[in-house]
Amino acid sequence: MAPPSSASSGEDSSTPDTTQSQLQHSFLLHKASDKLISSGKARRRRRSIDLSPTKTDDDDKKQSDDERWLRMEAFQLVWSRIESTINHVLRNINARVFDHIRRWVWDSFNAIKPLATISPGPFPLVSQVTCTQLFTGLLLTNNMEFVDDISTFQELGLCLKSHGCHVANLSSFDFSSKNGIAGCLTSLLRQFLMSTFDAADMSILASWYSRQGNYGSPVVVIIDDMERCCGAVLSDFILMLSEWVVKIPVILIMGVATTLDAPRKILSSNVLQKLCPCNFKLGSPAERMDAVVEAALVRQCSGFAVGHKVAVFLRNYFLNQDGTLTSFVRALKIACVQHFSTEPLSFLLGWLLVKEDSKGVQSEKAVKLASELLSLARNQIAEQTEVTIVHSLTELTKLQKLWSTVVLCLYEAGKCNKTRLIDLFCEALDPDTYNLLASDGLTGTGKGFVQSLSSDHCMLEQNLSYRKGRLICQLLGRVRDLPAALLCRLLNGWKNLTVDVPEIHDKVKELQSIVKLDEGSCKPDLKEISRRHTSRSPLKIGQSQSINEKAAILMDCMVRDFMKPIECTAFHEIVCYRNVENLQSALIGDSRKMIQVDLLEFHKTLQCSCCRRSGNIPLPSMPDTSIMYTLAQEHGDLINLHDWFQSFKTIVIQYSRKGTSKLKKSPLKKRKERNESENKSEASIQARFCRAITELQITGLIRMPSKKRRDCVQRVAFGL
Amino acid sequence: MESETMLCTTDQCVEQEPQYTHIDRNEFSQRRHKKQEEEEILICECKCDEKDLESACGERCLNVLTSTQCTPGYCPCGVYCKNQNSDMVKEERPQITRRATRSSALAKSVVEETDTSSQHPNDASASSDIIKEESPQISRRTTRSSVLAKCSNNVVEETDANSQQQPTLDDLVIGEGESFSFDDLVSSFPGKESQIKELVHLLGPQNSPMLPIFIYGGSSTGKTSIVLQTFRHLKRPFVYSSCLTCYNPRIMFESILNQLFLHRKKAENGYSSAKRCERPSDFVNFLREALVSIIGNPQGQKSGLSSKRSGKANGNMIYLIFDNLERVKGWDKGSTVLSLLFNLYDTLKMPEVGLIFISNTSPDTYDSNMGYVEPNPLYLPDYTDDDLGQILMRHQANKKLYTSFLSVVLRPFSRITRRVDELSSAFSLLFRKYCEPITDLGVFPNEEMKRKLFSQFQPHIAPALNEIFKVSTQPSTEVEARERKPKVSTRKSRGYEVADQLDFHMSTSAKYLLISAFLASRNPATLDASLFDSTGGSNNRKRKRKVSEKSMEQKETAEQELLIKGPGTFPMERLLAIFQCITSVAEDPLDDEEQAQDGLGIQDGHCGLMSDVLLQLTSLCGANFIVKGGSCPLEGSTRYRSTVSEDMALQVARSIKFPLSKYLYRR
């Protein structure tokens, strides 16, 4: 950064080509009037748009620094919103289970408390056999991968702590066979007593528990991932705890990733005997995923949105690859980062958020951004006025809101059939469907809503039914089949969801009143009707048929009129990330392939003139590693080191010969020199060879010689 | 050697002239005297300089550096070698002085006398050990008093802090105050009367010394309880240490010493032990110190002295109980500790100390050929059916009802296990089920009712027999129940719902990997080509020859062998190859489907599944579905083994619609 001393400092700088940019910086830091800034930015803006993005003009780069900063700020704003929303959702989702666990902990503590007072001695003495059982909660996390649940267990610990339990969180690292039982006891004591002991011993814990203030509340030991623990150490630990349970009322909570069989697999029967288990279930990853998608993407907590392809990619990545929320959130973050780093207009999203939040406080920034916006409008969108842009942005947010309302309504309808929101989300984002409908003139934005409601059949089904497996069509069918009670619930849900959209809200209310009337009139044969409906008899007549049908038509209209995918709206580039290829390469990244490509086609990177024409023939001017790898292509499974070295040498020497032949020297001196240089070069070639081979080994392309065949290395990577 | 020196040092209790027999060479009680082979003798490279005799085998000598003694006759420095046992170097020989006090000098002299005859270089370290041990011996009197002072200090603190009473020897007695008669004792352990009597007999009266007792028997036969309750009955002080809780020698030593020193770990003393004690030799010294202070001091001012004089226990037996002794065998230096414990009786030479070992394995399983006094064995047999009935009946409210219940269940169950803990936990659940039809639990069942109950209850018995670990769900999950209720006829439309049958989440690629691991473990490697090669597969399998009787037999034995061996191991390369095959076969139709459904341009199906297989493999290993086996000695690469059951594999395969059974090799 340029020194903020004065504007003239830029002119003094020694390098002439950076003067302008430095001038700019000092200029900015001095905070001149707004008008000047905006003009400066406008100039910059124009340039960065006019010029190709690959242009590496120093001047331009420096100029766009400021804008990048704005985008950075916007990113931080948006991402912090998303992150806090996700955290909030995840915390809420576990609350119920935590509550169950808390109650169970206290119940079981009350069951063992009377025993705890029996033995006053320094060692546990047991009078009854049955009371050595250890209350054990098995918390099923329902996910084979463990990452998502680390925070869950931390939070469980905090929750129990806040309700007056002593809590220690242990993980499988404490139960390694290397450290043995001492490892987990040390960590247990460290968490309870806040200090380390070189001889960790249960009697210390017992005497700690008998102290004033500690006595009288349960001691909860949480083991995060039971499956990963070393079985022997865990069984020792359990046996020890069960021996001491009369003195220390320990309650164990173990996280089980797979099935309830898992303890049976790693613990022996006499250890299992000591456990008095009770199981709890966390929400499944799919449920949690839906909750996160709902909060972060459908409900538009931040304004950031993803395109259809990105959504599908995210969904597939979750289902096929990883299955953890952690990686989903990471993918979302990468998408967010890429959006803000590639999309020049993306800082407007930050502005939108700020505007939403507080109109007065950040006015300065808003003004700045608005002026920016103005200049943008002039340059990019064919001299449109500021008003248009602001208007279309608000329009965009409005449409988004409508869209999310409809999606949530659909989700509500699909809830009883276990429709996953993420599938629905992907489908609702699909621009093709909407375009298809629009081309048939079946869509409208609100105006035609009332008219389209008057039609007596679902347009969607007719138009979309040929595409098999459409989720929305299935949902329509289901709404038609819904028994009355559930329909009532659904309408209630819709009423709550559509509070902000009066058009739909009114219609829902209307429907509800009809239902209520119905209930009053034909309650006796409600059962019969519902039965008839589930059997889907072709002779559907009567009131309730029309209600179900009406609900379906309402849903149909909602979808057609209000569910406009974001990619079909104007200015969606500002808020919507669509570049799925970038995201994929950032997430999956085929590193080994990239290394091989780089080695074989290095000139694309280096862009040197000397080896451009080579094709696949190794040239001495190539980097050593590239030469080696090109040579290795000719070999099969095993590469003889000597042969390899010889061919490497011939290629390299070619070069050095060429080099020395240019020098004209007296023959005698030349021979001597050559001898010397040959010796020298021999050593240096060997060194280069070794270095290149090490590099190849580090990149994982070859494997070092085995003991059986010392003269050969093994090729690991074949083909691209 | 060790027992010898201990013998020497223990004599200080006796004020009379110590009686010892002079031995010419060390007597090895635990092992045979090892003779050093000539090629084992380490010869240093020192050169002896005539002028500078000090240089002979000095600090730079190889043997000095490796803490070995030079062997006379082999050292190049010859007689000038300084790297010799101190008694080899002819210096003034210590005189045997007979002093009135039981000083350590006496012990030292004896030791050195015995050492002079030893030629063994290893003895050098041993003798130096003894010299080290001297120091606590010399200052014994002072330490004891200082410990006492320390004890009393602690007492003051304790009374201040916890308003507890001063700890005395009585604290080592359990069940004070209350009376617990022999009949009570016997009645609380049905069927164990003879064993209890024998135990009491072996313990003898309060003031008579006893040999160590070794109590053994299967788990849950009442070993620990009987011993502890017997002591409760006898009201004698004892120190209990379970080798389960005390998981290494140091903690065991310190826990015993803490109890003997009447020391409590607590916040005021930083939860520290009375003594820091890691080495067995330290333990013996401290133990003796503690025992002397306890036996000689507070209780028997009158009897203590006399007991010392006579060398006979006059009262105040104190017992050390070592529970779960079998655990010691698994310790790091288990054999050393075991020999120490078994030798403790000989080493301490204190008749006031009784040793009781409790183990669930018989004494034969311990290496008994170690030259200590064999402890008296006492075997506790398993309970008989009647005993079990009595024990289980003890805390029941409605004895009649429970009797009828036991008459149904006890027979089949006692054939499987006779452990009281297992039975009681199994029965508590079953009894609840048994009582379900009855409204009034206080009812006395008649014959007809019994029969009715039995007919209702009978189907529950057989499954319960195999149930080791029953997990109950929290009853207050009513919300879940409500959610489950509105299960309307669901049409299985997509992979999601099917996947839910597997009750935990796994990504698709992990599922494929699991299946391929299962296949790799299950199928012989030679079959891979025919199974997965799309061309060669079918015809190879169809070609069925008529099988002869003999080959059938061979097949059968091979089958059994495989069953015994369990799932086979496989290298990672094979796993990856199978994975690639099955994903390429199975992905294609699925891909098309997805493409049609989602209108998806970019499908990362196949190559996407491959991307982070190694990561998935790690997490499968973490979930214990695949076990990383030992590396093959020839190849040096790690081998894996799949541990999933066939049911589970089929379940997983069903969830991704993979035709697993097609690929399974059926013998």
Side-chain angles (χ1 to χ4, degrees):
Chain A
M1 283 287 142
S5 55
S6 71
S8 62
S9 70
E11 284 162 301
D12 295 336
S13 96
S14 53
T15 45
D17 54 342
T18 53
T19 40
Q20 198 183 352
S21 63
Q22 279 184 342
L23 235 177
Q24 279 284 333
H25 274 282
S26 44
F27 182 65
L28 259 179
L29 287 163
H30 274 281
K31 278 236 162 186
S33 70
D34 282 343
K35 213 165 78 186
L36 272 170
I37 293 178
S38 70
S39 70
K41 272 184 190 161
R43 202 173 69 222
R44 200 183 320 136
R45 181 80 264 154
R46 199 181 304 133
R47 272 193 206 169
S48 64
I49 286 166
D50 289 349
L51 298 172
S52 67
T54 49
K55 183 161 161 55
T56 51
D57 192 355
D58 198 33
D59 180 32
D60 247 348
K61 226 197 275 170
K62 290 272 179 180
Q63 279 184 339
S64 63
D65 256 2
D66 182 40
E67 184 210 306
R68 221 183 297 150
W69 177 76
L70 278 174
R71 279 197 255 151
M72 193 67 205
E73 203 181 34
F75 162 71
Q76 267 154 4
L77 200 67
V78 166
W79 182 248
S80 66
R81 283 268 185 109
I82 296 180
E83 203 170 29
S84 63
T85 314
I86 290 176
N87 286 340
H88 183 71
V89 164
L90 289 181
R91 204 167 299 140
N92 280 352
I93 221 171
N94 288 328
R96 209 189 70 209
V97 184
F98 284 1
D99 196 52
H100 281 316
I101 293 177
R102 186 180 53 77
R103 243 181 290 154
W104 168 80
V105 163
W106 278 97
D107 285 350
S108 29
F109 174 65
N110 290 332
I112 37 177
K113 199 161 63 173
L115 300 169
T117 51
I118 290 177
S119 54
F123 45 86
L125 286 179
V126 176
S127 51
Q128 263 186 45
V129 189
T130 40
C131 63
T132 58
Q133 281 208 330
L134 205 61
F135 282 94
T136 310
L138 298 173
L139 186 54
L140 294 171
T141 58
N142 288 322
N143 194 351
M144 193 191 72
E145 304 280 349
F146 177 66
V147 258
D148 284 352
D149 298 310
I150 297 171
S151 58
T152 311
F153 284 103
Q154 294 291 347
E155 261 160 39
L156 174 64
L158 288 178
C159 167
L160 290 175
K161 233 176 229 171
S162 68
H163 285 93
C165 308
H166 305 291
V167 182
N169 276 82
L170 300 180
S171 77
S172 56
F173 300 109
D174 298 316
F175 291 92
S176 63
S177 55
K178 197 179 133 218
N179 288 333
I181 187 87
C184 60
L185 278 184
T186 311
S187 134
L188 199 67
L189 290 180
R190 192 176 50 230
Q191 295 192 40
F192 281 129
L193 279 78
M194 312 289 173
S195 56
T196 44
F197 299 92
D198 48 350
D201 183 9
M202 284 301 281
S203 62
I204 297 178
L205 196 65
S207 89
W208 164 81
Y209 185 71
S210 64
R211 287 189 68 194
Q212 211 71 40
N214 295 332
Y215 193 78
S217 43
V219 176
V220 181
V221 176
I222 301 176
I223 300 171
D224 286 6
D225 40 353
M226 200 208 72
E227 274 105 335
R228 274 152 229 250
C229 297
C230 168
V233 180
L234 184 62
S235 4
D236 277 1
F237 184 67
I238 289 173
L239 286 178
M240 202 181 277
L241 286 184
S242 77
E243 202 167 79
W244 282 86
V245 79
V246 290
K247 286 193 73 81
I248 316 165
V250 173
I251 290 157
L252 206 61
I253 294 175
M254 297 199 282
V256 180
T258 52
T259 54
L260 280 177
D261 273 344
R264 221 166 297 176
K265 271 184 197 158
I266 69 166
L267 299 174
S268 62
S269 75
N270 67 328
V271 178
L272 288 176
Q273 199 56 53
K274 302 282 180 199
L275 302 178
C276 178
C278 180
N279 74 336
F280 302 94
K281 230 175 174 166
L282 284 179
S284 75
E287 280 166 27
R288 279 196 260 177
M289 181 73 177
D290 281 355
V292 166
V293 168
E294 180 180 338
L297 292 174
V298 178
R299 280 193 195 272
Q300 311 278 344
C301 66
S302 62
F304 176 70
V306 293
H308 173 240
K309 283 176 181 173
V310 174
V312 169
F313 170 75
L314 286 177
R315 171 183 166 271
N316 285 347
Y317 188 71
F318 174 73
L319 284 184
N320 293 339
Q321 293 294 326
D322 197 278
T324 61
L325 265 181
T326 315
S327 70
F328 175 78
V329 172
R330 194 189 53 182
L332 199 62
K333 186 169 184 177
I334 290 175
C336 203
V337 167
Q338 285 193 349
H339 177 68
F340 281 99
S341 59
T342 52
E343 180 60 51
L345 285 173
S346 57
F347 64 87
L348 282 176
L349 188 54
W351 172 69
L352 271 178
L353 274 184
V354 170
K355 200 183 81 172
E356 221 171 72
D357 260 7
S358 50
K359 285 202 168 124
V361 180
Q362 306 230 355
S363 59
E364 192 196 336
K365 197 180 274 171
V367 166
K368 224 162 86 181
L369 282 159
S371 56
E372 182 106 354
L373 182 71
L374 181 73
S375 63
L376 279 177
R378 273 207 199 108
N379 289 293
Q380 205 180 22
I381 316 146
E383 303 294 328
Q384 275 178 7
T385 54
E386 184 184 346
V387 185
T388 344
I389 268 220
V390 172
H391 174 71
S392 45
L393 275 176
T394 40
E395 183 72 7
L396 180 71
T397 40
K398 209 184 97 195
L399 282 175
Q400 282 266 80
K401 223 162 233 163
L402 280 173
W403 175 84
S404 70
T405 310
V406 177
V407 171
L408 287 175
C409 283
L410 288 177
Y411 182 46
E412 185 75 29
K415 240 173 198 170
C416 51
N417 302 54
K418 285 189 184 166
T419 307
R420 291 279 164 235
L421 179 63
I422 187 160
D423 296 339
L424 195 65
F425 173 70
C426 291
E427 198 172 308
L429 277 176
D430 194 355
D432 295 348
T433 322
Y434 188 81
N435 289 339
L436 196 81
L437 289 173
S439 64
D440 293 348
L442 291 172
T443 58
T445 44
K447 276 155 258 151
F449 185 61
V450 185
Q451 291 126 48
S452 57
L453 255 184
S454 57
S455 69
D456 56 347
H457 61 283
C458 295
M459 305 277 189
L460 267 182
E461 248 181 353
Q462 289 177 349
N463 284 281
L464 296 174
S465 52
Y466 65 90
R467 306 191 68 173
K468 83 171 178 164
R470 298 301 305 191
L471 213 56
I472 295 174
C473 291
Q474 282 174 18
L475 285 179
L476 276 176
R478 263 173 217 159
V479 167
R480 218 167 277 143
D481 291 348
L482 221 52
L486 284 178
L487 188 67
C488 231
R489 237 170 70 184
L490 175 66
L491 287 179
N492 243 334
W494 282 0
K495 200 180 93 185
N496 292 336
L497 283 169
T498 55
V499 172
D500 293 338
V501 191
E503 297 102 311
I504 309 177
H505 194 66
D506 295 343
K507 290 288 154 196
V508 171
K509 267 188 182 163
E510 216 169 89
L511 267 181
Q512 261 187 325
S513 61
I514 299 175
V515 169
K516 260 177 206 146
L517 255 173
D518 259 22
E519 259 174 25
S521 63
C522 53
K523 211 162 203 175
D525 51 9
L526 194 94
K527 226 179 208 172
E528 195 202 341
I529 288 165
S530 64
R531 187 189 51 76
R532 214 191 300 156
H533 278 285
T534 43
S535 62
R536 297 193 88 188
S537 69
L539 299 159
K540 280 191 284 187
I541 34 160
Q543 280 277 33
S544 66
Q545 182 259 336
S546 72
I547 289 172
N548 272 349
E549 191 61 38
K550 267 181 184 162
I553 289 170
L554 174 65
M555 196 162 107
D556 173 79
C557 295
M558 283 196 293
V559 171
R560 277 189 288 128
D561 290 342
F562 296 114
M563 201 176 79
K564 195 173 184 185
I566 183 135
E567 279 168 283
C568 301
T569 49
F571 292 109
H572 69 268
E573 293 90 347
I574 296 173
V575 295
C576 177
Y577 177 73
R578 297 193 303 166
N579 195 342
V580 74
E581 284 86 2
N582 275 352
L583 182 63
Q584 189 172 356
S585 69
L587 263 180
I588 294 174
D590 204 347
S591 53
R592 184 181 279 192
K593 186 178 167 189
M594 287 314 291
I595 290 170
Q596 290 189 64
V597 167
D598 282 351
L599 277 177
L600 292 177
E601 296 170 2
F602 63 96
H603 47 89
K604 278 185 188 159
T605 325
L606 291 184
Q607 297 192 323
C608 60
S609 57
C610 47
C611 3
R612 192 167 292 170
R613 68 215 147 66
S614 73
N616 255 342
I617 308 141
L619 291 175
S621 61
M622 285 160 60
D624 290 348
T625 325
S626 282
I627 298 176
M628 298 272 287
Y629 193 66
T630 321
L631 287 172
Q633 297 297 96
E634 297 160 11
H635 290 84
D637 206 359
L638 293 170
I639 308 171
N640 189 301
L641 273 175
H642 184 256
D643 295 350
W644 205 7
F645 176 65
Q646 286 305 333
S647 41
F648 175 72
K649 197 170 143 191
T650 45
I651 290 166
V652 175
I653 283 211
Q654 223 178 329
Y655 166 71
S656 55
R657 284 258 168 76
K658 228 186 253 169
T660 47
S661 65
K662 275 177 190 164
L663 300 167
K664 299 274 185 266
K665 276 168 188 170
S666 70
L668 202 136
K669 201 179 175 185
K670 196 173 164 188
R671 190 192 293 160
K672 195 184 167 194
E673 199 131 280
R674 186 192 274 175
N675 260 352
E676 215 167 66
S677 72
E678 237 164 50
N679 271 343
K680 211 164 146 192
S681 67
E682 177 84 22
S684 75
I685 287 170
Q686 272 185 25
R688 282 164 65 183
F689 179 77
C690 287
R691 187 176 151 160
I693 231 171
T694 318
E695 275 171 18
L696 285 178
Q697 190 202 356
I698 290 168
T699 49
L701 297 175
I702 58 166
R703 197 184 282 165
M704 279 292 105
S706 64
K707 273 183 187 160
K708 269 191 282 181
R709 311 203 56 175
R710 285 171 191 283
D711 52 344
C712 292
V713 291
Q714 220 176 342
R715 264 184 78 185
V716 180
F718 296 94
L720 288 179
Chain B
M1 181 73 207
E2 194 179 60
S3 68
E4 192 70 26
T5 55
M6 295 304 175
L7 194 148
C8 300
T9 49
T10 45
D11 274 358
Q12 26 93 17
C13 298
V14 189
E15 280 188 9
Q16 306 155 341
E17 206 167 87
Q19 300 207 333
Y20 58 88
T21 44
H22 184 87
I23 54 169
D24 291 327
R25 44 169 54 242
N26 281 347
E27 282 172 10
F28 290 84
S29 55
Q30 296 163 23
R31 56 174 173 87
R32 282 175 46 222
H33 188 170
K34 204 167 130 199
K35 267 212 162 166
Q36 204 173 22
E37 305 275 325
E38 190 163 341
E39 58 261 31
E40 281 176 14
I41 292 172
L42 303 166
I43 301 168
C44 60
E45 293 174 332
C46 299
K47 282 201 187 73
C48 186
D49 193 357
E50 286 288 336
K51 291 164 212 156
D52 184 19
L53 287 177
E54 287 295 303
S55 68
C57 292
E59 280 172 4
R60 310 276 309 162
C61 172
L62 280 180
N63 281 344
V64 170
L65 290 172
T66 53
S67 309
T68 329
Q69 200 175 23
C70 284
T71 314
Y74 289 92
C75 184
C77 297
V79 288
Y80 300 112
C81 176
K82 295 210 308 299
N83 182 24
Q84 300 279 333
N85 199 351
S86 58
D87 48 57
M88 296 277 192
V89 188
K90 295 280 181 269
E91 283 174 11
E92 87 285 17
R93 287 193 47 150
Q95 295 296 307
I96 304 173
T97 49
R98 289 169 196 269
R99 280 191 269 170
T101 51
R102 44 185 160 88
S103 73
S104 54
L106 181 61
K108 182 186 175 189
S109 62
V110 174
V111 169
E112 283 182 354
E113 211 165 74
T114 52
D115 268 3
T116 37
S117 52
S118 86
Q119 300 279 311
H120 205 273
N122 285 346
D123 286 346
S125 59
S127 65
S128 67
D129 254 7
I130 290 155
I131 292 166
K132 258 184 226 153
E133 275 176 25
E134 249 175 78
S135 46
Q137 283 173 16
I138 293 168
S139 58
R140 168 137 304 145
R141 270 184 183 283
T142 50
T143 30
R144 192 201 302 166
S145 53
S146 65
V147 164
L148 277 177
K150 199 175 153 196
C151 269
S152 53
N153 276 346
N154 280 347
V155 169
V156 174
E157 279 170 22
E158 240 167 49
T159 42
D160 281 351
N162 287 0
S163 69
Q164 272 181 357
Q165 288 171 357
Q166 175 178 355
T168 59
L169 196 59
D170 294 340
D171 283 1
L172 298 181
V173 183
I174 53 165
E176 249 181 310
E178 55 186 305
S179 73
F180 189 67
S181 70
F182 187 73
D183 291 338
D184 292 341
L185 177 64
V186 170
S187 66
S188 55
F189 296 99
K192 289 278 149 75
E193 186 173 353
S194 64
Q195 281 85 17
I196 293 172
K197 272 184 178 157
E198 194 181 347
L199 177 64
V200 173
H201 174 70
L202 285 174
L203 288 173
Q206 174 101 22
N207 55 1
S208 82
M210 55 165 263
L211 284 173
I213 305 176
F214 191 98
I215 299 171
Y216 65 102
S219 41
S220 192
T221 48
K223 301 179 295 291
T224 310
S225 318
I226 285 181
V227 171
L228 294 180
Q229 297 298 340
T230 308
F231 274 98
R232 187 174 157 209
H233 160 64
L234 294 173
K235 298 211 173 30
R236 295 189 195 172
F238 67 95
V239 167
Y240 174 87
S241 69
S242 160
C243 301
L244 183 67
T245 304
C246 309
Y247 54 90
N248 67 23
R250 179 180 168 190
I251 287 173
M252 185 174 80
F253 296 158
E254 290 183 356
S255 124
I256 293 171
L257 291 174
N258 283 340
Q259 294 179 50
L260 280 175
F261 280 121
L262 307 172
H263 171 95
R264 288 274 181 85
K265 290 178 180 180
K266 53 186 186 260
E268 285 78 26
N269 54 26
Y271 299 104
S272 61
S273 302
K275 294 271 186 253
R276 185 192 163 90
C277 171
E278 267 170 291
R279 289 187 310 163
S281 54
D282 290 348
F283 171 63
V284 172
N285 288 330
F286 285 132
L287 184 63
R288 184 174 298 121
E289 183 184 317
L291 286 171
V292 164
S293 78
I294 272 201
I295 298 163
N297 207 28
Q299 232 62 30
Q301 284 295 1
K302 36 199 180 345
S303 62
L305 275 171
S306 63
S307 80
K308 260 191 214 166
R309 290 238 166 80
S310 62
K312 248 186 164 184
N314 245 347
N316 298 331
M317 282 294 287
I318 185 158
Y319 300 89
L320 305 184
I321 301 174
F322 297 92
D323 201 353
N324 298 322
L325 199 65
E326 71 280 349
R327 309 279 307 190
V328 181
K329 284 196 277 190
W331 287 1
D332 208 11
K333 287 172 195 154
S335 57
T336 331
V337 178
L338 274 179
S339 74
L340 168 85
L341 292 181
F342 285 133
N343 274 318
L344 209 55
Y345 182 71
D346 291 339
T347 343
L348 282 173
K349 279 278 180 253
M350 291 176 107
E352 296 92 342
V353 177
L355 295 171
I356 297 166
F357 303 107
I358 304 174
S359 157
N360 64 8
T361 54
S362 80
D364 306 335
T365 54
Y366 299 89
D367 195 7
S368 60
N369 191 17
M370 290 196 287
Y372 49 79
V373 177
E374 286 273 339
N376 283 323
L378 178 62
Y379 175 63
L380 291 180
D382 280 349
Y383 286 109
T384 62
D385 279 8
D386 293 341
D387 303 336
L388 284 175
Q390 279 188 49
I391 294 170
L392 292 167
M393 198 76 83
R394 238 184 293 163
H395 300 289
Q396 294 308 323
N398 187 345
K399 305 242 171 194
K400 285 264 170 62
L401 189 62
Y402 205 75
T403 320
S404 69
F405 168 69
L406 281 186
S407 68
V408 179
V409 285
L410 193 56
R411 257 297 188 58
F413 270 89
S414 67
R415 240 177 277 151
I416 294 170
T417 176
R418 285 171 184 281
R419 293 179 52 170
V420 179
D421 51 353
E422 284 185 356
L423 286 177
S424 58
S425 60
F427 284 176
S428 67
L429 281 175
L430 277 177
F431 185 57
R432 223 172 291 154
K433 208 160 267 167
Y434 184 77
C435 294
E436 258 171 21
I438 312 172
T439 45
D440 176 26
L441 283 179
V443 76
F444 293 123
N446 51 18
E447 276 307 306
E448 190 199 354
M449 187 174 171
K450 275 185 196 168
R451 220 172 299 129
K452 219 169 75 195
L453 283 176
F454 175 70
S455 62
Q456 281 185 347
F457 177 65
Q458 198 185 16
H460 296 292
I461 301 178
L465 283 175
N466 287 324
E467 187 80 50
I468 326 164
F469 185 58
K470 189 149 175 81
V471 183
S472 63
T473 30
Q474 176 77 348
S476 59
T477 46
E478 68 286 304
V479 192
E480 260 173 56
R482 189 156 30 97
E483 274 172 4
R484 213 170 292 143
K485 208 171 55 183
K487 221 176 198 172
V488 210
S489 56
T490 38
R491 273 174 285 161
K492 280 169 194 165
S493 54
R494 311 198 58 172
Y496 249 134
E497 282 155 12
V498 192
D500 277 345
Q501 289 172 354
L502 199 73
D503 44 7
F504 59 94
H505 182 91
M506 245 167 127
S507 60
T508 316
S509 61
K511 281 175 180 165
Y512 275 112
L513 200 62
L514 185 67
I515 288 174
S516 37
F518 176 72
L519 285 174
S521 251
R522 170 77 186 265
N523 291 347
T526 44
L527 233 73
D528 280 356
S530 59
L531 275 179
F532 297 108
D533 192 7
S534 48
T535 53
S538 52
N539 57 9
N540 206 355
R541 279 170 66 100
K542 272 174 194 162
R543 193 176 50 199
K544 271 188 183 166
R545 292 264 177 82
K546 219 176 81 185
V547 276
S548 69
E549 198 93 324
K550 200 177 175 189
S551 70
M552 281 280 273
E553 243 171 59
Q554 275 178 349
K555 246 183 166 179
E556 225 158 77
T557 49
E559 198 173 314
Q560 277 175 349
E561 210 170 280
L562 257 172
L563 200 73
I564 292 164
K565 271 187 199 163
T569 61
F570 50 87
M572 197 167 72
E573 282 80 2
R574 191 173 159 223
L575 174 71
L576 293 183
I578 293 178
F579 177 73
Q580 186 159 25
C581 285
I582 64 172
T583 41
S584 61
V585 169
E587 268 295 291
D588 291 339
L590 202 120
D591 257 9
D592 294 342
E593 200 182 329
E594 294 244 317
Q595 215 125 3
Q597 274 180 9
D598 299 326
L600 196 56
I602 27 104
Q603 176 67 24
D604 59 325
H606 175 62
C607 67
L609 275 186
M610 294 291 285
S611 69
D612 47 4
V613 171
L614 296 186
L615 209 69
Q616 305 280 2
L617 187 63
T618 330
S619 50
L620 280 175
C621 283
N624 275 340
F625 287 138
I626 297 177
V627 174
K628 222 181 210 173
S631 54
C632 170
L634 277 176
E635 289 172 47
S637 58
T638 332
R639 291 181 77 88
Y640 296 84
R641 181 198 298 268
S642 142
T643 56
V644 290
S645 64
E646 189 170 338
D647 290 340
M648 163 111 179
L650 283 170
Q651 212 178 10
V652 171
R654 229 176 294 132
S655 73
I656 47 173
K657 293 177 189 148
F658 176 76
L660 178 64
S661 49
K662 230 166 68 183
Y663 291 95
L664 276 183
Y665 169 59
R666 303 265 172 214
R667 285 159 283 251

